[in-house]
Amino acid sequence: MKKKRLVERLYEEYSHIYSKKKVYRMVNFLLDEMKKSIASDDGLKISGFGSFRRKGKRILFRLSKRLIKRLKIEAKRSKM
């Protein structure tokens, strides 16, 4: 999903509370904070999704155990 589509979907859901410009600013703020966190030594952990950390010039992503388990269950269901 591209940022523009994310903004549109959030705006559709919350247009009664926020303007499209405000939603755009919030998405940009969130993405900027995520970038800063990944670039720092601490990395970024999103509970139930995974963690990101920088190693040299590369960014490493590790799936959470919960997401791995869920993906395996979905894969089994799709084979049936």
Side-chain angles (χ1 to χ4, degrees):
M1 176 183 293
K2 293 186 178 187
K3 182 168 58 171
K4 182 178 179 180
R5 181 68 182 132
L6 177 60
V7 170
E8 288 172 2
R9 297 230 5 230
L10 285 168
Y11 178 68
E12 288 170 8
E13 185 75 24
Y14 298 102
S15 61
H16 61 285
I17 301 172
Y18 301 110
S19 67
K20 195 168 191 176
K21 190 174 186 176
K22 181 72 172 179
V23 172
Y24 183 79
R25 285 182 187 158
M26 289 189 289
V27 168
N28 273 338
F29 174 80
L30 178 64
L31 294 175
D32 287 342
E33 290 301 310
M34 291 172 73
K35 288 176 194 174
K36 288 177 193 175
S37 184
I38 292 169
S40 75
D41 292 335
D42 296 334
L44 173 67
K45 181 177 180 181
I46 303 172
S47 183
F49 182 72
S51 60
F52 299 84
R53 68 183 178 92
R54 201 177 94 216
K55 186 173 184 179
K57 292 182 179 181
R58 298 176 6 169
I59 296 175
L60 305 175
F61 173 67
R62 180 178 218 159
L63 289 169
S64 73
K65 291 178 183 177
R66 190 179 349 166
L67 183 57
I68 290 170
K69 185 178 178 180
R70 194 170 184 188
L71 290 171
K72 287 180 180 178
I73 290 170
E74 290 298 320
K76 285 181 184 177
R77 286 184 188 164
S78 67
K79 288 181 181 179
M80 294 180 170

